[in-house]
Structures are given as C-alpha cells and as structure tokens.
Amino acid sequence: MSVNVLNAGLLTTVQDIGRTGSQKFGVLVSGAMDSYSMRIANLLVGNAEREGVLEITLFGTKLQFEEDTLIAITGGDLQTTIDGIPVANWRPVLVKKGAVLKFGFAIEGCRAYLAIAGGLDIPVVMDSKSTYMVAGIGGFKGRALQQNDQLSFGKMTESNEKVFKLIEREGTPDWAVPHHPLISLESTQTVRIIEGTEYKHFDEASKQLLVHEPYVVTPQSNRMGLRLEGQALSLREKIEMLSEGVTFGTIQLPPNGKPIILMADRQTAGGYPKIGQVITADLGSLSQVKPNAKLYFKLITHAEAECELIAKEELINQIKIGIQHKLHY
C-alpha cells in the first residue's frame, strides 16, 4: 500500500520521536515539533507511539491513497478534507482507495500530524525515521516531500487490524480525543520556563521584562528556532562563554538581545547566554504557534516543571487506555 504526493505543501516531512543519543557526534535530534500530537495520532490507528508520521506545516499538502487506508490527523486545524468533505480530527478515519486528502490553510495551530496504520515503510537511520534535512538523512530520501513522491506503508499489526476492521464496519467514531489538556492552539500563549544557565548574569530589568512583557514570533522562525521580537534583554556585564550543549526549548540571547527559542532542529551546542528553558510540558503548545503569535513567559521552579511533565505523561497514559477501551481492544 502507498500514498502519492499530489502537492507537497509548504513543508511536509517524516518525523518520529527523534534521533536521540547522537548529539555528541553533532547529529541533530530532529523529530516531531509537537510530540504530544504525534503520539496520539499513532495511538488512534494502533501504531506504537514512536512510529514515524507526516508533519504538515501551515498549508497545501495533498495526498492520494492507492488502497483503503486507516489514518488519524492531530495537531493544528488545517481545514483538512477528503474528496472535498471535512475530516474529523483527533479520531481514526478510513480513507477509501483513490480518495484525495487535502490540507488547507491553518486556522488554529501551525502543524498537523498524519499517522497511517502500519507506519511508513522507510529506512531507520540511527534508530529514527525522522528527517534531518541539513545532512540529507532519515525520512523520505533525507528531505521534505515533493510532488510525485510515493510513500509505502508498513505491514499492519494485530492492533492496526482491529482498529481498521472496527472503523470499516462502524464508520468514523462520534468521539474524539480532546486536545485542550495536551496542547494549546491559541495565538496568544503563556509559556512556562525555568531559569537558564546564565540567568543570574542578566540584569534585573531584563529579568522583569522577560516575565512581564509580550514577545512576538517573527516570520523568520522555523523548525530550528523561534525568533522573537520584543524588548531587548541584556547582561549585567560581558561574560566569556564556551559553547555548550543546548536542548529543545533553550532560550538564547544573541548580541541584539532578542530571544531565540531553540526547537526540534536546533544545533547540538550553542555559545549565546541562556536566560531560560521552556518546560517540556509546554513544548507541544509552543510548536503550534504561527508567525505573529504573542508569547508571555512565566517563571516556575524546576520541581514544578517536573510535576507538570509527570502530569502530562499520566494524561497520555489515560488517553491511551481510553482509546483502547473505545476501540474494544
């Protein structure tokens, strides 16, 4: 079974949980920007949570299926249709042979995730199917999808078959996974952070500006980082720094004082001062912001950040159990 790319859209890539364990060699993690949506999409079709999916950015992707296929779409609302009929997101959907799946312009959020029962039949590179575009490895030929590409599906497991047969028999379910507890799709968001490595070196005025003034996401933002426009921040005095490891959500301050939040395709090390770190529990929501979105930062403790992450993972587990119950596993 396979799907044909009729229109690749702005940016559509294969992503999974990421290529972890190789940053010491300079290899990017990559992976889904919004891993919460990616994981739920996989669970809805009976895949393993870490399976590769398609990450569709903002608009334009159009796909045609060669066989009856079970899919699930999560993440942002890109006004998705099948043969012109609106698609129900955050639930399993059966696409008939020859049908065309189209993603319109994002009206909420920025990225949609398309999971296909059986996963994508592409090579695993360094334990991941994620696309590392700069190096040209992973994903589909190491690049974003292009018109006329053809992606093959993996063999369906028993879990996939159960969901497929149920949806084939009963149709698209009247229930859906609520996304609100997992991610926010709002254009104005409060993003929780903890102190960065160099937080103590910033002057008091900058510390206050960070948590009291809004910052706007600029159009120059991408999978590597979100560039923000707003009040410039500054150090108390110049400090000498060596490049050191950075991670998803690290907030760096380049010489112009305008924050940059490092995202999924971030570099493995950085030499700019780090004023904050976005908590893991908020990275899914942050990954859904479009250009011109407004961000407010809220400083919390490391212990509070851990509690938020544990709560989010417990919620994912509850959703997993709920999906299994609804689909009669």
Side-chain angles (χ1 to χ4, degrees), residues 57 72 125 156 178 183 223 280 301:
T57 307
V125 179
M156 287 202 293
I183 61 168
R223 278 182 48 90
T280 303
T301 67

Coordinates of all heavy atoms in Angstrom, one line a residue, residues 57 72 125 156 178 183 223 280 301:
T57 N 3.0 21.4 7.6 CA 3.2 22.7 8.2 C 2.4 23.8 7.4 O 2.5 23.9 6.2 CB 4.7 23.2 8.1 OG1 5.5 22.2 8.8 CG2 4.9 24.5 8.8
A72 N -5.1 8.9 11.1 CA -5.6 9.8 12.1 C -4.8 11.1 11.9 O -3.6 11.1 11.6 CB -5.4 9.2 13.5
V125 N 17.3 5.2 10.3 CA 18.7 5.7 10.3 C 19.1 6.2 11.7 O 18.4 7.1 12.2 CB 18.9 6.9 9.3 CG1 20.3 7.4 9.3 CG2 18.5 6.5 7.9
M156 N 0.5 -3.9 8.6 CA -0.3 -3.7 9.7 C -0.2 -4.8 10.8 O -0.1 -6.0 10.5 CB -1.8 -3.5 9.4 CG -2.1 -2.2 8.6 SD -3.9 -1.8 8.7 CE -4.6 -3.1 7.8
P178 N -9.8 14.9 23.3 CA -9.7 16.3 23.4 C -8.3 16.8 23.5 O -7.5 16.3 24.2 CB -10.4 16.5 24.8 CG -10.2 15.2 25.5 CD -10.2 14.1 24.5
I183 N -2.3 20.2 24.4 CA -1.7 21.3 23.7 C -2.7 22.5 23.6 O -3.9 22.3 23.6 CB -1.2 21.0 22.3 CG1 -2.4 20.5 21.4 CG2 -0.1 19.9 22.4 CD1 -2.0 20.4 20.0
R223 N 11.7 25.3 12.1 CA 11.9 24.1 12.9 C 13.2 24.2 13.8 O 13.3 23.5 14.8 CB 12.0 22.8 12.1 CG 10.6 22.3 11.7 CD 10.7 21.0 10.9 NE 11.6 20.1 11.5 CZ 11.2 19.1 12.4 NH1 10.0 19.0 12.8 NH2 12.1 18.3 12.9
T280 N 9.3 21.1 29.4 CA 9.0 20.1 28.4 C 7.5 20.0 28.2 O 7.0 19.8 27.0 CB 9.5 18.7 28.8 OG1 10.9 18.8 29.0 CG2 9.2 17.6 27.8
T301 N 9.5 26.9 39.1 CA 10.7 26.2 39.6 C 10.9 24.9 38.9 O 10.0 24.4 38.2 CB 10.5 25.8 41.1 OG1 9.4 24.9 41.3 CG2 10.2 27.1 41.9

